[in-house]
Amino acid sequence: VNWASWFPQIAAAWTGVGIAVLPVLFFVPAPYGRYERPGWGPTVRSPIGWILMETPSALAIGLTFWWGNRHTDPLALTFLGMWEAHYLYRALIFPFLRREASRRMPLSVAAMGAGFNVVNGGLNGLWLFTLSGHTGTSWFADPRFLLGGGLFALGFASHVHSDGVLLRLRGRGESGYRIPRGGLFHFVSCPNYLGEIIEWTGWALATWSWAGLAFAIWTIANLAPRAFSHHQWYRHQFADYPANRKALLPFLL
Ligand SMILES: NC(=O)c1ccc[n+]([C@@H]2O[C@H](COP(=O)([O-])OP(=O)(O)OC[C@H]3O[C@@H](n4cnc5c(N)ncnc54)[C@H](OP(=O)(O)O)[C@@H]3O)[C@@H](O)[C@H]2O)c1
């Protein structure tokens, strides 16, 4: 089988699943965090759930790198480094910065997230480290790489910063929710989600790949509905919630 020629169809089919999931998540918010509720099977402590859910992404892309034959290619190493920077933060740092000691996550959510991560990490790695035509250093000067890489860095920085603002709203062992303020929270309720969407949109541009585009669309499918749920939840919860703040896109939505 010539996988390179089949790849756009495979990535398009995967993107189609993401697009189908988007409307569902508007009505059924994924049952973790503030929407944790019974009925989703056995649960584990939340940090364990996050590690189980996100480590497979770091491993999947690592395995595809190992299987591929671009071990010393500067472009392949750069893409590997970008992906691993995000996923090592998500899988091994973020879980330990969380403050709510009693929060739990259904194993079913962790398993679905892990499956999603293996497919995305696998598709992106397979493309970048085996199938794509891009190697060497010339792509570093391409405007798509420069703009995409810039967006990735900007998105990652605002994502990590906004996660940090949220995590500092609670003291150790404290529970409950407060109104987040400062930075991009001035404009939107979920700048951590916005940052992540910008990051993977930048990745899609920088890798100029169907796999990157599929992942960016999946990220929007997961996070946009959740941003609107969070926004409504905040407005319902806090009478003094800032009226001008939007859900996800400054001044717009
Ligand atoms: N790429 C993807 O498809 C994808 C999918 C899902 C998530 N993610 C990323 O994973 C990260 C975590 O997702 P999430 O849905 O758990 O984000 P979240 O709802 O914004 O929560 C992040 C953390 O902050 C705490 N928190 C949030 N709002 C708070 C408030 N107002 N007061 C006090 N504490 C607050 C949460 O506690 P609780 O857990 O107790 O609510 C949690 O520990 C996000 O940065 C997101 O971008 C990515």
Side-chain angles (χ1 to χ4, degrees), residues 32 34 98 103 159 177-178 193 196 222 230 234:
Y32 69 90
R34 71 196 64 183
R98 302 172 54 86
R103 174 68 79 210
H159 172 70
Y177 293 88
R178 302 201 172 87
Y193 295 171
E196 178 139 17
N222 277 330
H230 275 24
Y234 275 125

Side-chain angles (χ1 to χ4, degrees), residues 44-55 91 95-96 98 103 105 107 110:
V44 284
R45 284 189 50 224
S46 196
I48 305 215
W50 277 100
I51 295 168
L52 290 177
M53 181 157 77
E54 305 292 335
T55 312
F96 297 100
R98 302 172 54 86
R103 174 68 79 210
M105 181 190 282
L107 266 175

Side-chain angles (χ1 to χ4, degrees), residues 73 80 87 97 182 184 219:
D73 179 62
L80 179 70
Y87 275 99
L97 299 177
L184 290 169
T219 299

Side-chain angles (χ1 to χ4, degrees), residues 68-83:
N69 56 1
R70 300 188 182 169
H71 295 174
T72 54
D73 179 62
L75 188 64
L77 285 164
T78 303
F79 285 137
L80 179 70
M82 287 161 75
W83 189 283

Side-chain angles (χ1 to χ4, degrees), residues 32-34 46 50 53-54 86-87 90 94 98-100 103 116 159 163 166-167 169-170 176-180 190 192-193 196 200 215 218-219 222-223 226 230 233-234 238:
Y32 69 90
R34 71 196 64 183
S46 196
W50 277 100
M53 181 157 77
E54 305 292 335
H86 177 93
Y87 275 99
R90 168 68 61 241
F94 173 78
R98 302 172 54 86
R99 295 281 167 86
E100 157 73 88
R103 174 68 79 210
F116 156 86
H159 172 70
D163 264 0
L166 290 173
L167 295 170
L169 289 171
R170 291 176 186 153
Y177 293 88
R178 302 201 172 87
I179 300 179
C190 299
N192 54 334
Y193 295 171
E196 178 139 17
W200 297 114
F215 187 41
W218 259 103
T219 299
N222 277 330
L223 296 183
R226 200 167 176 86
H230 275 24
W233 182 94
Y234 275 125
F238 299 102

